[in-house]
Amino acid sequence: MAAVGAGVLAAGVYESREHRRALAAISLRVHVNGTRGKSSTTKTITALFRALGKTAVGKCTGTAPIVIDPDGTERLLVRRGRTRVHEQVRFLR
């Protein structure tokens, strides 16, 4: 039982470290929060950054989650099951 616990702890530490490394590679992050209009706001912000010559990627997490690529194309994000925090971790990688 102790070996299993140690393995789970080690995996958690590794995942946390990798997640922090992925976040550190992003020079500027914008978080959009609220009850309505988040997808529109996210699309507008990514378009603004692209217009300023910056590389921008957006992610909308609604009932139809999409990823906005650096060239402005929108891709439907396919989920297996319900929304989970792990989705964000995978997206950053």
Side-chain angles (χ1 to χ4, degrees), residues 32-45 60:
V32 179
N33 190 19
T35 55
R36 295 188 162 276
K38 294 180 295 298
S39 295
S40 303
T41 302
T42 300
K43 291 175 186 181
T44 303
I45 290 170
C60 302

Side-chain angles (χ1 to χ4, degrees), residues 6-87:
V8 169
L9 179 64
V13 168
Y14 173 78
E15 185 171 334
S16 176
R17 186 179 304 136
E18 290 301 308
H19 183 63
R20 277 191 246 116
R21 188 181 326 226
L23 288 175
I26 302 170
S27 60
L28 177 66
R29 296 185 305 266
V30 178
H31 175 82
V32 179
N33 190 19
T35 55
R36 295 188 162 276
K38 294 180 295 298
S39 295
S40 303
T41 302
T42 300
K43 291 175 186 181
T44 303
I45 290 170
T46 54
L48 173 68
F49 280 113
R50 277 195 318 277
L52 292 172
K54 304 293 182 185
T55 300
V57 176
K59 182 169 183 267
C60 302
T61 58
T63 52
I66 62 165
V67 174
I68 306 165
D69 290 326
D71 63 357
T73 58
E74 297 179 8
R75 295 183 288 122
L76 184 64
L77 183 66
V78 180
R79 285 185 182 144
R80 285 181 256 153
R82 298 173 46 163
T83 307
R84 295 182 213 115
V85 171
H86 193 42
E87 177 181 308

